[in-house]
Amino acid sequence: MILVIGLMGDSIGVWESSPFLTNLLSSLTGFCFAVPVAIIVLHRVSIYQMDHQQWRTLSGLASDLSHRISALAMELRVNSTLSDHEAASDAFWAAHSETVVAIKNWLDALNVADQRLTSGLEQVITQGDRCIRAWNACWKSPLDVGGSLAEIRMRWNTLIGDVEPRLREIGRPLFPTPELHLEIEEALEWVGAGSPSGRLDSSVSPLTWIEEARSVLARIREKRSSPSSSSSSGPVVEGIRQLEQALSSSAEEHDRYEYLAEVTSRLRSVVDAAVTDPQRLSS
């Protein structure tokens, strides 16, 4: 309105005899234009600074969470170095394979002489013990594993349920596509990390296959040494079948832990790449 009044005054020459009033109205007009523009600019700068600070804080938290998740998955391994773990894993698979073969040979020999069954049973027991020792040289105990899995789940829930939504709000999500997010969820469900509260679900995760195998081997030894028992008796056969099932669980569990370590390592790499991206840091 002041601008319109000033232009109308110019057209009829009303300001020529009033220089002070002219300057006053001119200054007022400029002020009325400049202040809103300045407020808009300052508001945008303030929003940018707040978003940038929030990004730095949240990206640092995301990096810490992803590194700890990956470290916890790696700590399921007894051996800290990759080469040592690979050697221990190879030793487990060798023992596992030989135990499975020994069980198969014994079951195939059920209809032959007791002498062959007795020697085969000794081999099953020996290989079963070796498989348990090889596993213990490769992976932590079920109790330690359970605690680590619960902590992984808790930190993952913080990352994906709190940090990531806030990063999306400022237009800088860590996971632009859902693939990795779904893989982490799949891995945690697969290893039986349990409910969001962090409690393990033993019906989902065969974390106690070793305890089952030890119990079965103890029963087989007891039946083997009993004078009234035959190697081909029902309890012994049942025990061998249970040992075979425990070994199947151990193979699946080994793959679960390896998959969890692999996918959490990729999570750490993706987050590191996102928080150190020069384009994000400068935007």
Side-chain angles (χ1 to χ4, degrees):
M1 290 177 63
I2 298 173
L3 176 63
V4 171
I5 292 172
L7 292 174
M8 291 176 62
D10 280 346
S11 65
I12 62 177
V14 72
W15 310 124
E16 294 179 0
S17 59
S18 307
F20 176 78
L21 182 60
T22 301
N23 289 335
L24 184 63
L25 288 174
S26 298
S27 299
L28 181 60
T29 304
F31 177 82
C32 290
F33 276 105
V35 169
V37 171
I39 291 175
I40 292 172
V41 171
L42 289 174
H43 179 65
R44 294 301 302 169
V45 170
S46 176
I47 290 177
Y48 167 77
Q49 289 178 335
M50 290 175 59
D51 286 351
H52 189 66
Q53 181 59 42
Q54 190 173 18
W55 157 252
R56 291 177 64 87
T57 301
L58 292 174
S59 63
L61 178 57
S63 180
D64 290 342
L65 288 170
S66 65
H67 276 252
R68 186 56 184 152
I69 288 171
S70 178
L72 285 166
M74 293 297 180
E75 286 171 8
L76 300 183
R77 301 171 173 178
V78 171
N79 300 280
S80 57
T81 66
L82 181 60
S83 59
D84 288 343
H85 174 73
E86 288 178 344
S89 180
D90 290 342
F92 165 73
W93 282 119
H96 182 277
S97 177
E98 291 174 12
T99 307
V100 170
V101 170
I103 290 174
K104 182 179 183 303
N105 291 339
W106 190 87
L107 291 174
D108 289 343
L110 277 177
N111 296 322
V112 300
D114 281 348
Q115 183 176 2
R116 180 176 170 185
L117 282 174
T118 301
S119 62
L121 192 60
E122 292 293 340
Q123 186 178 9
V124 168
I125 294 173
T126 300
Q127 292 297 340
D129 287 335
R130 180 187 168 202
C131 191
I132 290 175
R133 289 195 301 273
W135 175 272
N136 286 333
C138 190
W139 300 105
K140 296 289 182 65
S141 71
L143 183 61
D144 292 336
V145 168
S148 295
L149 292 178
E151 190 171 351
I152 289 173
R153 167 61 77 177
M154 179 183 67
R155 292 174 184 274
W156 169 250
N157 285 342
T158 300
L159 178 62
I160 202 65
D162 182 26
V163 177
E164 174 67 0
R166 290 164 65 187
L167 285 172
R168 286 190 178 277
E169 287 177 2
I170 61 176
R172 302 184 183 187
L174 292 173
F175 311 115
T177 59
E179 284 78 8
L180 181 59
H181 175 192
L182 295 175
E183 286 181 12
I184 298 290
E185 289 289 350
E186 179 186 54
L188 289 174
E189 290 300 323
W190 195 30
V191 298
S195 66
S197 65
R199 292 190 296 271
L200 293 175
D201 183 356
S202 59
S203 66
V204 177
S205 178
L207 294 176
T208 57
W209 83 268
I210 287 183
E211 298 306 319
E212 176 70 14
R214 284 174 177 161
S215 175
V216 168
L217 287 172
R219 292 200 302 271
I220 292 174
R221 286 190 180 94
E222 180 184 353
K223 295 298 181 182
R224 176 199 60 182
S225 59
S226 175
S228 60
S229 296
S230 167
S231 295
S232 58
S233 66
V236 174
V237 175
E238 181 184 358
I240 295 293
R241 296 288 189 190
Q242 291 173 343
L243 179 61
E244 187 177 36
Q245 181 59 46
L247 288 174
S248 176
S249 295
S250 74
E252 182 179 2
E253 193 174 339
H254 184 285
D255 289 342
R256 292 179 179 196
Y257 295 166
E258 291 287 22
Y259 180 65
L260 181 64
E262 185 271 330
V263 76
T264 54
S265 178
R266 282 197 287 119
L267 168 68
R268 182 187 61 191
S269 298
V270 167
V271 173
D272 282 348
V275 301
T276 58
D277 184 1
Q279 187 174 6
R280 289 194 181 210
L281 293 174
S282 62
S283 62

